[in-house]
Amino acid sequence: MKYLDEYRDGRVAAKIRSEIGRVTTRPWTLMEVCGGQTHSIVKHGVDRMLPSQIELVHGPGCPVCVTPLEQIDKAHAIASRPGVTFASFGDMLRVPGSHTDLLRLKSEGADVRIVYAPLDAVRLAQQHPDREVVFFAIGFETTAPANALAVTQAAALGIKNFSMLVSHVLVPPAIAAVLQSPGNRVQGFLGPGHVCTVMGYREYEALAAHFQVPIVITGFEPIDLLDGVLRTVRLLEAGKVELQNQYSRIVTRAGNVAAQRLVWSAFEVCDRKWRGIGTIPKSGLRLRYELQEYDAERRFDVGAMETLEPAACISGQILRGLKKPHDCPAFGSACTPERPLGATMVSAEGACAAYFAYGRHRQEATR
Amino acid sequence: MCLAIPGRVIEVFQDRGLRMARVDFGGTVKKACLEQLPEAVLGDYVLVHVGFALSVVDPAEAERTYRFLEELGQLDEIHMPEGPA
């Protein structure tokens, strides 16, 4: 496929790899922010193409992973109600809450639907006026415009049997939280290409300047990721702090302004709890006051839920780049994608699940 | 979750007040909302995420980045044939 296949070309990858080797003189620790990048890195073995001095640690950018357990429990409470059709992106279905998961609820008779696009959930509400259709609106800034469109469409069309359980998160406050963690090791970032497609990268220029850390907005294919590493290492080696845009075929400095306008027409910034990390100030989105009637938490009055995470799970440290999956004694034994203990194992884009899927729980011991 | 894929716009149409497109992803055709991408026209490659077109792929930038990477090391090969690999 055009704009995909050429960014997987082994010949070009080999050139970048040798250039990274040539410019690297010291150890450097880089973090890729986005879970999609983590998945691609582990799938294609990008981290293993790098000189031993370059370590990639994996960031908090997997929205399924960081959705707090109580939001998942609320989803399950709402989906269990009679008369409710609960619509969700597919990757949320297997994520276990305190007691169950959406797939199990579905097998027990709950009306749980997978939707590809948030607009499909609005169509469901139109087609089934006798049902309360609830959409689980999770994601980073990449997904926010599509989710915003769903609720603004419902409002514009006067659809009353539609609501959203919102658990949206924002990347820049999470990068700041990583950099402010005691013991932070991250010296440079591969920035989240698709988040910046929407938001542009002015916020990341400010982060780079404030924390004196190079950030390279990076794409998702192996060659993009290698190029992102090369650019970041060059900046680090030269002692330069700046923002570069590796993903210039997609990302512009201003981003998609129309999409941003749509996002702010539906959402406002709020404090948000991140699974494994805790509450980060001003790190989430909630529905604007004018759209509160579409807020499923209000409509179904699920209230506050107390939850307890397993003590053995070190996902909070993994999400901040302080540890890696095989540093955890439970990884691959007590904790697997089938029976995850915490955030980084619950989604295919979580660092632990990606390591597990590509056999790293078996290979690391022999490396 | 932030998975987004480039595909070619093969049809533009209106649906319930929204500007929509059919987008061809290497043979698989899916609908995408073009409402927030007014500049996108038939034949453009657009980046689509959960049924929502986020950006038009810039062919000149794609070419520039790729050429630059393809040419990595070539200067060394020309000017420093004995240089380190």
Side-chain angles (χ1 to χ4, degrees), chain A residues 14-26:
Chain A
K15 285 185 181 181
I16 308 173
R17 178 187 187 180
S18 90
E19 184 67 8
I20 295 170
R22 199 180 66 78
V23 302
T24 305
T25 67
R26 279 172 284 172

Side-chain angles (χ1 to χ4, degrees), chain A residues 71-85:
Chain A
Q71 287 301 104
I72 294 165
D73 285 347
K74 283 177 190 172
H76 297 163
I78 294 170
S80 306
R81 300 258 180 117
V84 166
T85 294

Side-chain angles (χ1 to χ4, degrees), chain A residues 210-274:
Chain A
H210 181 77
F211 289 101
Q212 289 293 295
V213 62
I215 302 177
V216 176
I217 308 305
T218 301
F220 291 72
E221 295 304 319
I223 284 179
D224 290 320
L225 291 158
L226 285 167
D227 188 19
V229 170
L230 173 59
R231 287 165 182 253
T232 312
V233 171
R234 274 188 178 145
L235 289 172
L236 287 166
E237 290 279 348
K240 284 189 189 164
V241 170
E242 65 181 57
L243 184 133
Q244 287 190 8
N245 180 16
Q246 184 278 331
Y247 207 29
S248 59
R249 67 184 184 278
I250 302 283
V251 174
T252 60
R253 182 163 185 263
N256 183 334
V257 176
Q260 291 164 26
R261 211 175 291 134
L262 174 64
V263 169
W264 300 126
S265 76
F267 296 119
E268 60 191 19
V269 173
C270 64
D271 297 346
R272 182 68 75 191
K273 186 173 174 186
W274 294 53

Side-chain angles (χ1 to χ4, degrees), chain A residues 96 330-342 345-346 352-353 356 361:
Chain A
F331 173 67
S333 52
C335 181
T336 63
E338 287 301 309
R339 298 183 62 181
L341 288 183
M345 192 60 102
V346 299
C352 294
F356 190 91
H361 55 301

Side-chain angles (χ1 to χ4, degrees), chain A residues 256-259 261, chain B residues 19 34-41 44 53 56:
Chain A
N256 183 334
V257 176
R261 211 175 291 134
Chain B
R19 186 166 180 256
L34 275 192
E35 192 65 24
Q36 267 61 42
L37 212 51
E39 68 272 31
V41 295
D44 277 351
V56 178

Side-chain angles (χ1 to χ4, degrees), chain A residues 2-3 6-7 9 11-12 15 63 89 116-118 123 126 142-143 146 194 197 227 248-250 256 258 349, chain B residues 1-2 4 16 18 26 33 36 45 47 49-52 54-55 57-59 61-62 65-66 69-70 72 76:
Chain A
K2 191 169 164 67
Y3 297 124
E6 60 265 47
Y7 295 94
D9 184 323
R11 198 173 44 89
V12 177
K15 285 185 181 181
F89 294 126
Y116 159 69
R123 303 287 175 252
Q126 281 184 299
T142 315
T143 316
H194 290 154
T197 304
D227 188 19
S248 59
R249 67 184 184 278
I250 302 283
N256 183 334
E349 292 185 352
Chain B
M1 180 74 210
C2 285
R16 281 166 262 212
L18 294 178
C33 178
Q36 267 61 42
Y45 275 80
L47 187 79
H49 169 69
V50 297
F52 193 97
L54 294 175
S55 169
V57 183
D58 183 334
E61 281 294 323
T65 308
Y66 201 77
L69 292 174
E70 269 201 318
L72 265 184
D76 292 353

